[in-house]
PDB file of all heavy atoms in Angstrom:
ATOM      1  N   LEU A   5     -69.035-211.696  71.854  1.00  0.00           N
ATOM      2  CA  LEU A   5     -69.467-211.216  70.547  1.00  0.00           C
ATOM      3  C   LEU A   5     -70.717-210.367  70.749  1.00  0.00           C
ATOM      4  O   LEU A   5     -71.821-210.893  70.927  1.00  0.00           O
ATOM      5  CB  LEU A   5     -69.762-212.395  69.607  1.00  0.00           C
ATOM      6  CG  LEU A   5     -68.577-213.301  69.283  1.00  0.00           C
ATOM      7  CD1 LEU A   5     -69.030-214.479  68.437  1.00  0.00           C
ATOM      8  CD2 LEU A   5     -67.480-212.525  68.562  1.00  0.00           C
ATOM      9  N   ASP A   6     -70.535-209.067  70.731  1.00  0.00           N
ATOM     10  CA  ASP A   6     -71.634-208.143  71.004  1.00  0.00           C
ATOM     11  C   ASP A   6     -72.153-207.585  69.692  1.00  0.00           C
ATOM     12  O   ASP A   6     -71.497-206.781  69.022  1.00  0.00           O
ATOM     13  CB  ASP A   6     -71.134-207.009  71.909  1.00  0.00           C
ATOM     14  CG  ASP A   6     -72.274-206.101  72.363  1.00  0.00           C
ATOM     15  OD1 ASP A   6     -73.407-206.287  71.874  1.00  0.00           O
ATOM     16  OD2 ASP A   6     -72.018-205.208  73.184  1.00  0.00           O
ATOM     17  N   GLU A   7     -73.345-208.038  69.279  1.00  0.00           N
ATOM     18  CA  GLU A   7     -73.882-207.607  67.990  1.00  0.00           C
ATOM     19  C   GLU A   7     -74.348-206.150  68.006  1.00  0.00           C
ATOM     20  O   GLU A   7     -74.631-205.576  66.951  1.00  0.00           O
ATOM     21  CB  GLU A   7     -75.051-208.522  67.567  1.00  0.00           C
ATOM     22  CG  GLU A   7     -76.300-208.404  68.426  1.00  0.00           C
ATOM     23  CD  GLU A   7     -76.271-209.311  69.638  1.00  0.00           C
ATOM     24  OE1 GLU A   7     -75.179-209.807  69.983  1.00  0.00           O
ATOM     25  OE2 GLU A   7     -77.326-209.520  70.241  1.00  0.00           O
ATOM     26  N   MET A   8     -74.440-205.556  69.190  1.00  0.00           N
ATOM     27  CA  MET A   8     -74.889-204.170  69.287  1.00  0.00           C
ATOM     28  C   MET A   8     -73.734-203.174  69.173  1.00  0.00           C
ATOM     29  O   MET A   8     -73.935-202.019  68.824  1.00  0.00           O
ATOM     30  CB  MET A   8     -75.620-203.954  70.621  1.00  0.00           C
ATOM     31  CG  MET A   8     -76.822-204.866  70.814  1.00  0.00           C
ATOM     32  SD  MET A   8     -78.036-204.714  69.475  1.00  0.00           S
ATOM     33  CE  MET A   8     -78.574-203.017  69.719  1.00  0.00           C
ATOM     34  N   ASN A   9     -72.525-203.615  69.475  1.00  0.00           N
ATOM     35  CA  ASN A   9     -71.360-202.729  69.421  1.00  0.00           C
ATOM     36  C   ASN A   9     -70.213-203.466  68.731  1.00  0.00           C
ATOM     37  O   ASN A   9     -69.519-204.271  69.344  1.00  0.00           O
ATOM     38  CB  ASN A   9     -70.936-202.314  70.838  1.00  0.00           C
ATOM     39  CG  ASN A   9     -72.019-201.529  71.552  1.00  0.00           C
ATOM     40  OD1 ASN A   9     -72.254-200.365  71.260  1.00  0.00           O
ATOM     41  ND2 ASN A   9     -72.690-202.183  72.497  1.00  0.00           N
ATOM     42  N   TYR A  10     -70.041-203.187  67.466  1.00  0.00           N
ATOM     43  CA  TYR A  10     -68.988-203.866  66.711  1.00  0.00           C
ATOM     44  C   TYR A  10     -68.593-203.027  65.497  1.00  0.00           C
ATOM     45  O   TYR A  10     -69.309-202.118  65.097  1.00  0.00           O
ATOM     46  CB  TYR A  10     -69.444-205.247  66.261  1.00  0.00           C
ATOM     47  CG  TYR A  10     -70.489-205.220  65.165  1.00  0.00           C
ATOM     48  CD1 TYR A  10     -70.141-205.417  63.838  1.00  0.00           C
ATOM     49  CD2 TYR A  10     -71.821-204.959  65.458  1.00  0.00           C
ATOM     50  CE1 TYR A  10     -71.085-205.359  62.834  1.00  0.00           C
ATOM     51  CE2 TYR A  10     -72.778-204.906  64.467  1.00  0.00           C
ATOM     52  CZ  TYR A  10     -72.410-205.107  63.149  1.00  0.00           C
ATOM     53  OH  TYR A  10     -73.343-205.050  62.159  1.00  0.00           O
ATOM     54  N   GLU A  11     -67.456-203.345  64.933  1.00  0.00           N
ATOM     55  CA  GLU A  11     -66.988-202.684  63.722  1.00  0.00           C
ATOM     56  C   GLU A  11     -67.336-203.563  62.523  1.00  0.00           C
ATOM     57  O   GLU A  11     -66.793-204.654  62.372  1.00  0.00           O
ATOM     58  CB  GLU A  11     -65.473-202.460  63.774  1.00  0.00           C
ATOM     59  CG  GLU A  11     -65.039-201.301  64.648  1.00  0.00           C
ATOM     60  CD  GLU A  11     -65.458-199.961  64.079  1.00  0.00           C
ATOM     61  OE1 GLU A  11     -65.496-199.824  62.831  1.00  0.00           O
ATOM     62  OE2 GLU A  11     -65.782-199.055  64.867  1.00  0.00           O
ATOM     63  N   PRO A  12     -68.242-203.129  61.647  1.00  0.00           N
ATOM     64  CA  PRO A  12     -68.609-203.956  60.488  1.00  0.00           C
ATOM     65  C   PRO A  12     -67.481-204.030  59.469  1.00  0.00           C
ATOM     66  O   PRO A  12     -66.696-203.086  59.332  1.00  0.00           O
ATOM     67  CB  PRO A  12     -69.831-203.239  59.902  1.00  0.00           C
ATOM     68  CG  PRO A  12     -69.647-201.813  60.317  1.00  0.00           C
ATOM     69  CD  PRO A  12     -68.979-201.852  61.656  1.00  0.00           C
ATOM     70  N   MET A  13     -67.393-205.166  58.759  1.00  0.00           N
ATOM     71  CA  MET A  13     -66.421-205.321  57.671  1.00  0.00           C
ATOM     72  C   MET A  13     -67.140-205.059  56.355  1.00  0.00           C
ATOM     73  O   MET A  13     -67.804-205.935  55.798  1.00  0.00           O
ATOM     74  CB  MET A  13     -65.824-206.735  57.675  1.00  0.00           C
ATOM     75  CG  MET A  13     -64.907-207.018  58.837  1.00  0.00           C
ATOM     76  SD  MET A  13     -64.241-208.713  58.773  1.00  0.00           S
ATOM     77  CE  MET A  13     -63.354-208.674  57.213  1.00  0.00           C
ATOM     78  N   ASP A  14     -67.039-203.842  55.871  1.00  0.00           N
ATOM     79  CA  ASP A  14     -67.736-203.473  54.642  1.00  0.00           C
ATOM     80  C   ASP A  14     -67.239-204.275  53.437  1.00  0.00           C
ATOM     81  O   ASP A  14     -67.986-204.539  52.504  1.00  0.00           O
ATOM     82  CB  ASP A  14     -67.546-201.969  54.362  1.00  0.00           C
ATOM     83  CG  ASP A  14     -68.211-201.112  55.432  1.00  0.00           C
ATOM     84  OD1 ASP A  14     -69.192-201.583  56.022  1.00  0.00           O
ATOM     85  OD2 ASP A  14     -67.733-199.989  55.662  1.00  0.00           O
ATOM     86  N   GLN A  15     -65.959-204.622  53.474  1.00  0.00           N
ATOM     87  CA  GLN A  15     -65.387-205.336  52.331  1.00  0.00           C
ATOM     88  C   GLN A  15     -65.737-206.817  52.339  1.00  0.00           C
ATOM     89  O   GLN A  15     -65.501-207.517  51.357  1.00  0.00           O
ATOM     90  CB  GLN A  15     -63.855-205.169  52.308  1.00  0.00           C
ATOM     91  CG  GLN A  15     -63.110-205.956  53.394  1.00  0.00           C
ATOM     92  CD  GLN A  15     -63.028-205.208  54.706  1.00  0.00           C
ATOM     93  OE1 GLN A  15     -63.829-204.306  54.959  1.00  0.00           O
ATOM     94  NE2 GLN A  15     -62.075-205.566  55.550  1.00  0.00           N
ATOM     95  N   GLY A  16     -66.299-207.318  53.445  1.00  0.00           N
ATOM     96  CA  GLY A  16     -66.630-208.744  53.504  1.00  0.00           C
ATOM     97  C   GLY A  16     -65.389-209.600  53.653  1.00  0.00           C
ATOM     98  O   GLY A  16     -64.273-209.102  53.824  1.00  0.00           O
ATOM     99  N   LYS A  17     -65.584-210.893  53.576  1.00  0.00           N
ATOM    100  CA  LYS A  17     -64.461-211.821  53.719  1.00  0.00           C
ATOM    101  C   LYS A  17     -64.713-213.043  52.868  1.00  0.00           C
ATOM    102  O   LYS A  17     -65.762-213.679  52.964  1.00  0.00           O
ATOM    103  CB  LYS A  17     -64.287-212.237  55.187  1.00  0.00           C
ATOM    104  CG  LYS A  17     -63.144-213.233  55.409  1.00  0.00           C
ATOM    105  CD  LYS A  17     -62.950-213.521  56.878  1.00  0.00           C
ATOM    106  CE  LYS A  17     -61.915-214.598  57.121  1.00  0.00           C
ATOM    107  NZ  LYS A  17     -60.603-214.257  56.564  1.00  0.00           N
ATOM    108  N   ASP A  18     -63.763-213.352  51.991  1.00  0.00           N
ATOM    109  CA  ASP A  18     -63.888-214.543  51.153  1.00  0.00           C
ATOM    110  C   ASP A  18     -63.519-215.775  51.976  1.00  0.00           C
ATOM    111  O   ASP A  18     -62.755-215.694  52.939  1.00  0.00           O
ATOM    112  CB  ASP A  18     -62.964-214.428  49.937  1.00  0.00           C
ATOM    113  CG  ASP A  18     -63.379-215.367  48.815  1.00  0.00           C
ATOM    114  OD1 ASP A  18     -64.376-216.096  49.011  1.00  0.00           O
ATOM    115  OD2 ASP A  18     -62.720-215.373  47.768  1.00  0.00           O
ATOM    116  N   VAL A  19     -64.063-216.909  51.585  1.00  0.00           N
ATOM    117  CA  VAL A  19     -63.813-218.163  52.294  1.00  0.00           C
ATOM    118  C   VAL A  19     -63.039-219.100  51.382  1.00  0.00           C
ATOM    119  O   VAL A  19     -63.442-219.354  50.246  1.00  0.00           O
ATOM    120  CB  VAL A  19     -65.135-218.839  52.719  1.00  0.00           C
ATOM    121  CG1 VAL A  19     -64.852-220.161  53.417  1.00  0.00           C
ATOM    122  CG2 VAL A  19     -65.921-217.921  53.652  1.00  0.00           C
ATOM    123  N   ASN A  20     -61.931-219.614  51.873  1.00  0.00           N
ATOM    124  CA  ASN A  20     -61.111-220.543  51.102  1.00  0.00           C
ATOM    125  C   ASN A  20     -60.752-221.748  51.960  1.00  0.00           C
ATOM    126  O   ASN A  20     -60.617-221.643  53.185  1.00  0.00           O
ATOM    127  CB  ASN A  20     -59.811-219.865  50.623  1.00  0.00           C
ATOM    128  CG  ASN A  20     -60.084-218.732  49.668  1.00  0.00           C
ATOM    129  OD1 ASN A  20     -60.549-218.933  48.558  1.00  0.00           O
ATOM    130  ND2 ASN A  20     -59.790-217.519  50.096  1.00  0.00           N
ATOM    131  N   VAL A  21     -60.600-222.886  51.303  1.00  0.00           N
ATOM    132  CA  VAL A  21     -60.173-224.097  52.000  1.00  0.00           C
ATOM    133  C   VAL A  21     -58.682-224.001  52.288  1.00  0.00           C
ATOM    134  O   VAL A  21     -57.888-223.632  51.415  1.00  0.00           O
ATOM    135  CB  VAL A  21     -60.447-225.355  51.143  1.00  0.00           C
ATOM    136  CG1 VAL A  21     -59.845-226.585  51.802  1.00  0.00           C
ATOM    137  CG2 VAL A  21     -61.944-225.545  50.957  1.00  0.00           C
ATOM    138  N   ILE A  22     -58.291-224.293  53.517  1.00  0.00           N
ATOM    139  CA  ILE A  22     -56.869-224.314  53.886  1.00  0.00           C
ATOM    140  C   ILE A  22     -56.338-225.718  53.614  1.00  0.00           C
ATOM    141  O   ILE A  22     -56.685-226.667  54.314  1.00  0.00           O
ATOM    142  CB  ILE A  22     -56.676-223.931  55.368  1.00  0.00           C
ATOM    143  CG1 ILE A  22     -57.228-222.526  55.623  1.00  0.00           C
ATOM    144  CG2 ILE A  22     -55.201-224.015  55.758  1.00  0.00           C
ATOM    145  CD1 ILE A  22     -57.206-222.111  57.084  1.00  0.00           C
ATOM    146  N   ALA A  23     -55.552-225.837  52.563  1.00  0.00           N
ATOM    147  CA  ALA A  23     -55.054-227.146  52.139  1.00  0.00           C
ATOM    148  C   ALA A  23     -53.817-227.530  52.951  1.00  0.00           C
ATOM    149  O   ALA A  23     -52.686-227.509  52.476  1.00  0.00           O
ATOM    150  CB  ALA A  23     -54.729-227.134  50.644  1.00  0.00           C
ATOM    151  N   LYS A  24     -54.045-227.860  54.212  1.00  0.00           N
ATOM    152  CA  LYS A  24     -52.948-228.235  55.098  1.00  0.00           C
ATOM    153  C   LYS A  24     -53.351-229.442  55.922  1.00  0.00           C
ATOM    154  O   LYS A  24     -54.464-229.497  56.455  1.00  0.00           O
ATOM    155  CB  LYS A  24     -52.597-227.068  56.027  1.00  0.00           C
ATOM    156  CG  LYS A  24     -51.477-227.373  57.010  1.00  0.00           C
ATOM    157  CD  LYS A  24     -51.197-226.179  57.911  1.00  0.00           C
ATOM    158  CE  LYS A  24     -50.092-226.468  58.909  1.00  0.00           C
ATOM    159  NZ  LYS A  24     -49.809-225.328  59.797  1.00  0.00           N
ATOM    160  N   GLN A  25     -52.459-230.420  56.016  1.00  0.00           N
ATOM    161  CA  GLN A  25     -52.711-231.605  56.822  1.00  0.00           C
ATOM    162  C   GLN A  25     -52.153-231.404  58.231  1.00  0.00           C
ATOM    163  O   GLN A  25     -51.040-230.913  58.393  1.00  0.00           O
ATOM    164  CB  GLN A  25     -52.082-232.835  56.182  1.00  0.00           C
ATOM    165  CG  GLN A  25     -52.740-233.241  54.867  1.00  0.00           C
ATOM    166  CD  GLN A  25     -52.042-234.417  54.227  1.00  0.00           C
ATOM    167  OE1 GLN A  25     -50.826-234.435  54.086  1.00  0.00           O
ATOM    168  NE2 GLN A  25     -52.819-235.417  53.837  1.00  0.00           N
ATOM    169  N   ILE A  26     -52.945-231.783  59.236  1.00  0.00           N
ATOM    170  CA  ILE A  26     -52.539-231.633  60.632  1.00  0.00           C
ATOM    171  C   ILE A  26     -52.451-233.006  61.280  1.00  0.00           C
ATOM    172  O   ILE A  26     -53.338-233.840  61.102  1.00  0.00           O
ATOM    173  CB  ILE A  26     -53.544-230.753  61.410  1.00  0.00           C
ATOM    174  CG1 ILE A  26     -53.663-229.378  60.737  1.00  0.00           C
ATOM    175  CG2 ILE A  26     -53.140-230.607  62.862  1.00  0.00           C
ATOM    176  CD1 ILE A  26     -54.751-228.505  61.323  1.00  0.00           C
ATOM    177  N   SER A  27     -51.392-233.237  62.015  1.00  0.00           N
ATOM    178  CA  SER A  27     -51.188-234.527  62.667  1.00  0.00           C
ATOM    179  C   SER A  27     -51.618-234.457  64.127  1.00  0.00           C
ATOM    180  O   SER A  27     -51.201-233.551  64.855  1.00  0.00           O
ATOM    181  CB  SER A  27     -49.704-234.927  62.608  1.00  0.00           C
ATOM    182  OG  SER A  27     -49.255-234.997  61.278  1.00  0.00           O
ATOM    183  N   PRO A  28     -52.464-235.391  64.569  1.00  0.00           N
ATOM    184  CA  PRO A  28     -52.804-235.454  65.999  1.00  0.00           C
ATOM    185  C   PRO A  28     -51.564-235.821  66.807  1.00  0.00           C
ATOM    186  O   PRO A  28     -50.776-236.669  66.376  1.00  0.00           O
ATOM    187  CB  PRO A  28     -53.853-236.571  66.068  1.00  0.00           C
ATOM    188  CG  PRO A  28     -54.299-236.796  64.677  1.00  0.00           C
ATOM    189  CD  PRO A  28     -53.161-236.423  63.796  1.00  0.00           C
ATOM    190  N   LYS A  29     -51.402-235.186  67.941  1.00  0.00           N
ATOM    191  CA  LYS A  29     -50.245-235.479  68.780  1.00  0.00           C
ATOM    192  C   LYS A  29     -50.706-235.756  70.203  1.00  0.00           C
ATOM    193  O   LYS A  29     -51.737-235.233  70.636  1.00  0.00           O
ATOM    194  CB  LYS A  29     -49.258-234.312  68.764  1.00  0.00           C
ATOM    195  CG  LYS A  29     -48.699-234.007  67.370  1.00  0.00           C
ATOM    196  CD  LYS A  29     -47.649-232.923  67.430  1.00  0.00           C
ATOM    197  CE  LYS A  29     -47.151-232.552  66.046  1.00  0.00           C
ATOM    198  NZ  LYS A  29     -46.569-233.680  65.319  1.00  0.00           N
TER     199      LYS A  29
END
Side-chain angles (χ1 to χ4, degrees):
L5 298 176
D6 187 354
E7 68 273 16
M8 302 303 295
N9 298 285
Y10 71 99
E11 283 292 327
M13 290 180 61
D14 295 332
Q15 72 275 21
K17 179 175 175 59
D18 200 0
V19 178
N20 296 293
V21 173
I22 300 174
K24 179 181 179 180
Q25 292 177 311
I26 302 173
S27 302
K29 299 185 184 301

